[in-house]
Amino acid sequence: MTNLEGRVILRRGAITPPEGVRSDLEVIAGLGREAGLAITFETEPEAVFEELRRASAGGRRLRGDLYQRIADEKGVFWPCPTDTTNPGHPACCFADTFDTPDGRARFVVPVYAGPAEATAMRRTRCT
């Protein structure tokens, strides 16, 4: 997880779940299997982190072998270069430019389109 200050941290379970309770990653992997998808979803947090790290390899993102560093150092700042000793950049990531071709931010005004499906909500009165 990346918090508001730009620190990439690991979120760990507070307690051991009861027998038979699946993690979010296991639920997502199960949905993929049930949907008949040709890809396999990872269920181990470190493998998912590595996949996200590889996907963000371009530009100023997470690079290097960071998972153990994040665990040991209680987080590193994003972006973090490949240097395994660099703590990252704790300053505002977008103080000067944004990660777009011209360096400028993109603002989009959302247009409310209503619900995708009709709801079956029943109105009741409180007495």
Side-chain angles (χ1 to χ4, degrees), residues 11 13 16 26 28 38 52 69 71 90 94 99 112 123:
R11 295 189 62 180
T16 302
E26 291 167 332
I28 292 168
L52 292 171
R69 276 192 61 207
F94 301 114
D99 203 9
Y112 179 70
R123 297 187 186 269

Side-chain angles (χ1 to χ4, degrees), residues 91-112:
C92 178
C93 295
F94 301 114
D96 300 317
T97 65
F98 287 82
D99 203 9
T100 59
D102 63 2
R104 300 180 72 184
R106 301 286 183 263
F107 293 96
V108 179
V109 177
V111 178
Y112 179 70

Side-chain angles (χ1 to χ4, degrees), residues 10-13 23 25 42-52 67:
L10 299 180
R11 295 189 62 180
R12 304 210 187 260
S23 72
L25 296 176
E42 295 288 349
T43 58
E44 292 300 318
E46 187 169 357
V48 173
F49 177 85
E50 179 60 22
E51 185 175 332
L52 292 171
Y67 193 86

Side-chain angles (χ1 to χ4, degrees), residues 3-23:
N3 66 18
L4 291 175
E5 70 173 343
R7 185 185 301 267
V8 180
I9 59 174
L10 299 180
R11 295 189 62 180
R12 304 210 187 260
I15 61 170
T16 302
E19 182 73 28
V21 174
R22 296 182 294 167
S23 72

Side-chain angles (χ1 to χ4, degrees), residues 13-103:
I15 61 170
T16 302
E19 182 73 28
V21 174
R22 296 182 294 167
S23 72
D24 291 349
L25 296 176
E26 291 167 332
V27 170
I28 292 168
L31 288 171
R33 280 190 305 275
E34 291 297 317
L37 298 179
I39 61 172
T40 302
F41 291 89
E42 295 288 349
T43 58
E44 292 300 318
E46 187 169 357
V48 173
F49 177 85
E50 179 60 22
E51 185 175 332
L52 292 171
R53 188 203 59 78
R54 283 192 317 269
S56 68
R60 302 180 322 167
R61 305 239 196 300
L62 297 172
R63 291 181 270 179
D65 182 21
L66 291 176
Y67 193 86
Q68 192 59 50
R69 276 192 61 207
I70 292 168
D72 294 344
E73 300 171 24
K74 307 296 186 262
V76 296
F77 285 98
W78 180 95
C80 191
T82 57
D83 182 336
T84 58
T85 61
N86 191 300
H89 302 282
C92 178
C93 295
F94 301 114
D96 300 317
T97 65
F98 287 82
D99 203 9
T100 59
D102 63 2

